[in-house]
Amino acid sequence: GVDASDDKDNDVLSPEQKAARTEEISKRRAIPREEVIKRLRANRQPITLFGESDDERMARLRHVELTRPDEENEGTAGQKNFNLEEEKKAKQRAVDGDSSDEEDLAPEEKKAKKLKRLEKLRRQEAAASSKFERIRSWLKRVLKEWEMDID
């Protein structure tokens, strides 16, 4: 509803200013509450902030809609496509021989696949050009050996 502060302000305003203020308040209420909530959700905004009134929520919606990126960039700015990232990681694992479909393999095949990866890690360790790469490949190899010992 209308705050008491609105009534206090209306006492000081001229009749023309009161009419303009009343029109402004009625314009703010032109959007139904459900529509405001729906549009806030569409803009990935919280429905209601703590202590926020319907009028403040509508003002926040207007601000969000006025300051959002252009339509051509809408939905892409600052967002990631996690499915696409996972697909790329899966393809990279397949190229590296680190496929995670080992559950479908027989124990002998799992061991052979792990030994193949271990040998690949040993070659990477030997071919490492910097201390960082050598340490990194050594750690990966040792962890893979421990994994094999545990299995």
Side-chain angles (χ1 to χ4, degrees), residues 8-119:
K8 289 177 190 172
D9 290 344
N10 283 340
D11 293 338
V12 181
L13 300 175
S14 70
E16 294 83 21
Q17 290 173 326
K18 284 182 188 180
R21 176 110 177 158
T22 305
E23 186 177 330
E24 177 188 340
I25 291 171
S26 66
K27 280 183 183 177
R28 274 193 268 158
R29 293 190 185 138
I31 304 171
R33 183 175 188 267
E34 294 79 22
E35 178 67 19
V36 172
I37 290 171
K38 184 175 134 186
R39 287 165 56 181
L40 282 169
R41 282 185 180 147
N43 284 298
R44 300 181 185 274
Q45 292 291 316
I47 294 169
T48 303
L49 298 177
F50 182 76
E52 186 177 49
S53 70
D54 289 343
D55 291 337
E56 291 168 333
R57 182 184 305 120
M58 196 172 310
R60 183 166 53 90
L61 171 65
R62 289 178 191 250
H63 174 73
V64 166
E65 289 181 339
L66 289 173
T67 58
R68 74 176 176 203
D70 295 337
E71 294 296 321
E72 64 190 39
N73 295 331
E74 186 176 354
T76 58
Q79 296 182 8
K80 291 184 177 181
N81 184 340
F82 291 104
N83 289 333
L84 186 60
E85 277 186 35
E86 288 301 316
E87 287 176 12
K88 286 180 182 176
K89 287 179 185 177
K91 286 179 183 176
Q92 186 61 39
R93 282 193 303 264
V95 167
D96 293 343
D98 293 340
S99 179
S100 62
D101 60 350
E102 289 184 2
E103 293 80 26
D104 301 336
L105 299 176
E108 301 82 31
E109 293 173 326
K110 285 183 185 180
K111 186 165 181 139
K113 193 170 189 176
K114 286 182 180 181
L115 286 172
K116 183 179 175 184
R117 272 191 256 151
L118 191 58
E119 185 57 38

Side-chain angles (χ1 to χ4, degrees), residues 94-146:
V95 167
D96 293 343
D98 293 340
S99 179
S100 62
D101 60 350
E102 289 184 2
E103 293 80 26
D104 301 336
L105 299 176
E108 301 82 31
E109 293 173 326
K110 285 183 185 180
K111 186 165 181 139
K113 193 170 189 176
K114 286 182 180 181
L115 286 172
K116 183 179 175 184
R117 272 191 256 151
L118 191 58
E119 185 57 38
K120 181 179 177 183
L121 289 172
R122 285 188 180 124
R123 284 193 309 268
Q124 286 177 348
E125 186 178 346
S129 60
S130 70
K131 288 181 182 179
F132 172 76
E133 288 178 24
R134 193 169 298 131
I135 292 170
R136 181 176 168 265
S137 58
W138 178 83
L139 284 171
K140 285 177 83 173
R141 182 183 55 82
V142 169
L143 289 173
K144 191 57 67 181
E145 288 175 353
W146 286 350

